[in-house]
Every structure is written in C-alpha cells, then in structure tokens.
Amino acid sequence: MSCEALKFGSFTLKSGRISPYFFNAGLLSTGPILSILSEAFAATIVAAQQPSSSNPDHSTPIPPFDVLFGPAYKGIAFAATTALVLHTHYRETPNIISSNPETGIGFAYNRKEIKSHGEGGSLVGSSVSNKKVIILDDVMTAGTAVREAIDIVRKEGGEVVGVIQLLDREEVGKDGASSTVHEVEGIIGKGRVKSILRMRDLIAWLKSKGMQKELEDMEEYRSKYGLKD
Ligand SMILES: O=P(O)(O)OC[C@H]1O[C@H](OP(=O)(O)OP(=O)(O)O)[C@H](O)[C@@H]1O
C-alpha cells in the first residue's frame, strides 16, 4: 500500500468483475521493495521444496530446478532478482538446484515482440532445454500469460515444475467452480502452483488494521467470487 501497488476502491477487472481491490505490481519498483519481494519469492520456493510434512500446505514438493522464467514484462524483474537472492542467500541450502551448484539458478524470459535480427527468437536468457523451470509472476487472472510461458518452455524442451505467484486472488473461474490455479495445476501437476500472499491474507491484514469499510467490501466480493474451501 505504501507504494500504491495495492489499492482499495472500485476497479473493473479484465474478467469484467468489479473488484474492491487492485494489485499493480508495476509499482513495486524500488530497490528496497524488490529486495523484500525477491526474498519472499525465494523463501516460498525453498518452502515448497521441503518434504510435505514440513511444507505449509502438505502438497507434493517442487523438485530441484535449474531456471526461473519471468513472463514479460513484469515477471522479468521477479525472475532476475530471485535468481540473485537464491545465489546470495540459499546457495548452501541442499537440493534446491538440480544442475551444477557452481552455475547456480539461471533466469529467462520471453519477448512480447518478434525479433528477426541478432539472436532472434522469443526466449531470452538461460537455455531451458532439458531443464526444470519455475515460472514467477505477480498474479493470474485467466492464466493466459502463464499458459503462454508454459508453452514456450515446453517448445524449447524444458519442463515446468512450478509456478509461484505473488498474489492469489482465490477466485472461482468463469464457470463458477474451478479456479485458474486448479486449471494450471491440471497442466503442470497438483500442488505445483504456490503463492506468497492470498486474498485471505489481505483480509486478515485489513482486520488487524481495523479498516472496516475495506474489510466489508472484500468480504462481500469474496462471498460472490471467492473460492469455497
Ligand atoms: O492470467 P492473465 O489473464 O494472463 O493475467 C495476468 C497477467 O496479466 C498481467 O500482465 P500483462 O499481460 O498485462 O503484461 P505486462 O506484464 O506487460 O503488464 C500480469 O502481470 C500477468 O502476467
């Protein structure tokens, strides 16, 4: 909220839903905030790699991996800075990396525009061929960006073993039943989509701050579009 990446009010989403909150990760754009953010991505990855008994939601652990992929544009910074944090803070942690620990975790991203000169192609950064890859992004709505990223990685011969999003809005899809998270897990495996924050965390935080009006609006939205546990 301090940098207005999270706003409360009335916002029309891509889905047409009128949301009482809006998240614009493009405003997470200073050194201190990127530092907090990449620490959180790295810690979420490492927690998701622990055996299910010590893993927060007891799901199948994400296996050791090689490359972080950030969908253009906003995902690019997340992948780059998290690769850096995994190197500076976690390189001694066993079994994070499936390839040579000396090389460390790579990062890659897609181009939105086709480039016909120079190296060409739509993938930039570390090769994902025969590599295990984790995709990082801010939020999924319909899941278009993440699906596209999965396709790019697969086309290049890589395997997507996890998706980490910054915020899970915990909403039902258009059909009123499944969520985008469930749909993406249908592609890459159950329990392989993780998030740093969930809508329920925002609600708990609003409660702790006594922000009554925002809390009521969020509860109302959740009763309409929220995932049923
Ligand atoms: O699940 P989806 O329906 O794809 O929506 C989520 C995507 O949309 C936003 O990016 P956008 O495509 O606007 O690109 P940007 O990062 O260049 O702003 C966001 O950063 C996600 O990548």
Side-chain angles (χ1 to χ4, degrees):
M1 279 192 83
S2 66
C3 62
E4 302 195 326
L6 177 64
K7 276 186 176 163
F8 294 96
S10 179
F11 306 92
T12 305
L13 305 180
K14 242 191 223 176
S15 58
R17 293 176 183 175
I18 314 279
S19 170
Y21 74 108
F22 187 71
F23 183 54
N24 176 7
L27 295 174
L28 302 172
S29 54
T30 65
I33 288 173
L34 278 179
S35 166
I36 293 168
L37 203 61
S38 45
E39 284 284 351
F41 269 118
T44 304
I45 292 169
V46 172
Q49 291 189 310
Q50 303 312 306
S52 52
S53 54
S54 53
N55 170 335
D57 56 6
H58 303 284
S59 54
T60 332
I62 290 181
F65 71 104
D66 316 279
V67 177
L68 290 173
F69 184 97
Y73 290 99
K74 293 195 282 292
I76 299 173
F78 305 150
T81 55
T82 304
L84 178 71
V85 169
L86 286 170
H87 172 69
T88 52
H89 294 192
Y90 292 93
R91 67 171 175 267
E92 307 296 344
T93 310
N95 305 325
I96 292 183
I97 307 176
S98 81
S99 52
N100 180 358
E102 294 298 313
T103 322
I105 297 289
F107 91 96
Y109 54 93
N110 59 302
R111 285 182 206 284
K112 283 198 176 187
E113 307 78 13
I114 304 295
K115 179 175 169 177
S116 53
H117 60 282
E119 74 278 21
S122 70
L123 191 83
V124 188
S126 286
S127 163
V128 297
S129 172
N130 294 315
K131 297 280 166 65
K132 290 192 166 41
V133 178
I134 294 180
I135 295 171
L136 305 184
D137 209 357
D138 50 355
V139 68
M140 290 192 280
T141 52
T144 313
V146 163
R147 273 181 247 260
E148 199 180 292
I150 294 170
D151 285 349
I152 293 171
V153 170
R154 287 182 170 175
K155 226 179 255 169
E156 297 283 333
E159 181 194 358
V160 176
V161 294
V163 170
I164 317 282
Q165 56 176 341
L166 180 44
L167 175 70
D168 183 353
R169 293 184 58 102
E170 298 189 294
E171 288 180 29
V172 291
K174 265 197 226 141
D175 60 2
S178 70
S179 67
T180 300
V181 167
H182 291 140
E183 286 168 16
V184 172
E185 286 190 339
I187 306 172
I188 64 166
K190 197 167 173 322
R192 290 289 173 86
V193 178
K194 306 288 182 192
S195 60
I196 295 172
L197 284 172
R198 294 168 298 176
M199 192 208 196
R200 71 187 73 176
D201 300 316
L202 297 185
I203 287 182
W205 182 79
L206 288 171
K207 262 186 203 151
S208 75
K209 294 280 172 197
M211 294 169 70
Q212 203 50 38
K213 164 82 175 82
E214 289 83 354
L215 184 59
E216 281 165 19
D217 291 348
M218 292 285 271
E219 294 283 20
E220 192 191 329
Y221 185 80
R222 185 159 68 162
S223 66
K224 222 166 163 183
Y225 300 117
L227 270 183
K228 311 288 171 255
D229 291 321

